[in-house]
Amino acid sequence: MATAKELSDFLEAVERRAFKQTAYAVRDDHAALDIVQDAMMKLATKYADKPLAELPMLFQRILQNTMRDYWRRQKVRNLWTTLLSSFGGSAEGGDERDPLETIDVEDDSDEPHAQLERSQTIKLIELAIQKLPARQREAFVLRYWEEMDVAETAKIMGCSDGSVKTHCSRAVHSLATELKKQGLDKLGITGSIAMSKSLKS
Amino acid sequence: MLNTHENHTNRMTAEFEDSVSDMNQPTDAELAHYVIDLLDDNAQHLTAVTAKRLSVARSLAVSQLASQQGLNHSGHVLARFGDQIERHRIMSTAIAVGAMLLAFYAAQHFGFNSNLEEGDAFLLASDLPPEAYADKGFDTWLVSKND
């Protein structure tokens, strides 16, 4: 059973990642904060009697379920909005735009070139992650960011190990394709990875 | 012949250049780890407002846990009391039965005493003296007189 101090330390360690992951999924920072808070409260209320070692997996499971609840509510809300807006006039038709084309390129000449390049790369990566199908993003985040094994990820996602591997592989491939399309050399990714490889070797 | 050799050399050169280019290209796994490193780093640089909001959410969750654990503690006290009762169920039953028997005996005892008191009062209030009831020949005399 986790004490208040242990729970506090655990949440402090995961809250930022949880927020970013949720923000990528729901694309709304305020909603993401609400979802993370809900997940924290549910963990504290319903699973306080569980041992500390089980908290990471439980928290991820709660977080994913809370996101799904949010999507369900959004779906119902969107349905009504669409129905009501169909009486009020036509939409602008901006849904088909590629979000990668809408990035504001910061043109701040005072900022160092590397920092600018890095921030642009992060923006591109974040958009590429947001563009991933929900299940692929979930699998990618849990496997690579939360460093969970296939079985744990499968348990959280409620699917088989094979499905997790497929989702992960497709997610990484989609990300790679998207980033290669933008030009890895241009983004400085190739150079950075090559440098880190040479440092490791 | 010379043309064929030249074509072969060109093809070999192209393949070598492709392989060198492929070696420089990161694998999917390397790319994934690179992406995660960037995202992790980026997650540590949230705005102050977002960080504050997360901190408040965490505090709420922790205080919720603390209050829940306080409630559980008082619940444990009641549960312990209940356990004691459960453990001494037989003894409690025996005590209850004993108390009932004692009450019954007391009721009987005090009831008998009150009957005695009533008898005494009757004798004292009667026209005949109490010695008349103690006389052995009195009953015989009473019957013969009635006849």
Side-chain angles (χ1 to χ4, degrees):
Chain A
M1 184 174 171
T3 63
K5 172 81 170 66
E6 286 169 341
L7 181 76
S8 178
D9 291 345
F10 165 73
L11 290 177
E12 195 174 2
V14 299
E15 65 191 12
R16 286 162 184 262
R17 285 205 310 271
F19 164 69
K20 290 304 278 185
Q21 289 162 15
T22 314
Y24 295 146
V26 301
R27 301 179 194 185
D28 179 351
D29 283 3
H30 294 290
L33 283 167
D34 288 343
I35 289 169
V36 172
Q37 182 170 338
D38 275 1
M40 285 178 174
M41 292 301 279
K42 281 177 192 167
L43 183 76
T45 311
K46 294 179 183 170
Y47 299 97
D49 56 334
K50 299 286 179 190
L52 189 63
E54 287 182 23
L55 291 189
M57 211 172 108
L58 279 169
F59 183 66
Q60 276 303 324
R61 203 167 190 172
I62 294 167
L63 192 65
Q64 301 298 334
N65 287 337
T66 316
M67 276 189 232
R68 281 193 200 107
D69 290 345
Y70 171 82
W71 281 120
R72 278 191 207 112
R73 283 199 301 272
Q74 283 295 106
K75 205 181 256 184
V76 174
R77 196 176 297 166
N78 287 345
L79 181 72
W80 283 105
T81 312
T82 312
L83 280 172
L84 292 172
S85 64
S86 64
F87 293 112
S90 64
E92 288 296 312
D95 292 343
E96 297 301 320
R97 279 184 301 171
D98 185 351
L100 290 175
E101 290 168 5
T102 63
I103 300 171
D104 299 325
V105 177
E106 289 170 22
D107 189 17
D108 190 352
S109 54
D110 292 340
E111 232 176 69
H113 177 69
Q115 205 172 333
L116 179 67
E117 197 176 61
R118 187 183 171 83
S119 71
Q120 285 176 351
T121 307
I122 287 172
K123 274 187 184 176
L124 281 168
I125 287 170
E126 286 185 336
L127 284 170
I129 287 175
Q130 284 176 9
K131 277 177 74 179
L132 287 175
R135 298 289 278 174
Q136 286 183 22
R137 184 177 47 245
E138 200 177 333
F140 177 78
V141 161
L142 291 172
R143 283 283 287 124
Y144 289 101
W145 207 353
E146 291 301 322
E147 294 176 343
M148 291 184 169
D149 60 30
V150 175
E152 286 172 336
T153 309
K155 205 170 174 185
I156 290 170
M157 290 178 68
C159 62
S160 67
D161 290 7
S163 298
V164 169
K165 286 176 189 168
T166 308
H167 285 314
C168 264
S169 167
R170 285 181 184 164
V172 173
H173 192 70
S174 300
L175 277 176
T177 308
E178 192 66 50
L179 294 173
K180 279 171 188 167
K181 206 162 75 183
Q182 301 296 322
L184 292 179
D185 290 325
K186 202 171 74 184
L187 297 171
I189 293 175
T190 314
S192 301
I193 292 174
M195 195 184 286
S196 68
K197 260 201 293 193
S198 66
L199 281 173
K200 277 176 193 168
S201 65
Chain B
M1 181 71 182
L2 189 66
N3 199 15
T4 313
H5 179 71
E6 198 175 321
N7 282 343
H8 180 70
T9 311
N10 285 342
R11 202 170 63 237
M12 289 289 283
T13 311
E15 278 175 8
F16 176 72
E17 280 171 358
D18 282 350
S19 65
V20 169
S21 170
D22 285 346
M23 277 167 68
N24 287 333
Q25 289 296 314
T27 63
D28 284 355
E30 285 168 348
L31 193 68
H33 286 296
Y34 176 76
V35 165
I36 290 302
D37 284 347
L38 273 181
L39 292 176
D40 217 10
D41 187 49
N42 191 38
Q44 300 308 316
H45 298 95
L46 298 178
T47 61
V49 176
T50 308
K52 177 76 185 164
R53 176 80 199 278
L54 287 172
S55 170
V56 169
R58 184 182 358 117
S59 304
L60 282 172
V62 171
S63 60
Q64 175 75 22
L65 175 72
S67 65
Q68 202 171 324
Q69 281 177 342
L71 281 176
N72 281 349
H73 178 70
S74 53
H76 283 153
V77 171
L78 288 174
R80 204 171 296 154
F81 184 66
D83 285 347
Q84 289 289 332
I85 289 175
E86 185 67 22
R87 202 172 300 148
H88 300 294
R89 187 191 283 176
I90 296 168
M91 194 181 286
S92 305
T93 310
I95 289 170
V97 169
M100 282 169 67
L101 286 173
L102 193 68
F104 179 72
Y105 171 76
Q108 286 289 317
H109 182 71
F110 289 119
F112 178 71
N113 281 348
S114 71
N115 283 342
L116 279 178
E117 283 165 11
E118 276 174 20
D120 289 345
F122 173 76
L123 286 175
L124 289 171
S126 174
D127 290 338
L128 291 169
E131 290 80 14
Y133 295 99
D135 187 358
K136 286 179 183 172
F138 178 69
D139 283 340
T140 317
W141 174 79
L142 200 61
V143 170
S144 63
K145 192 182 177 191
N146 282 341
D147 288 341

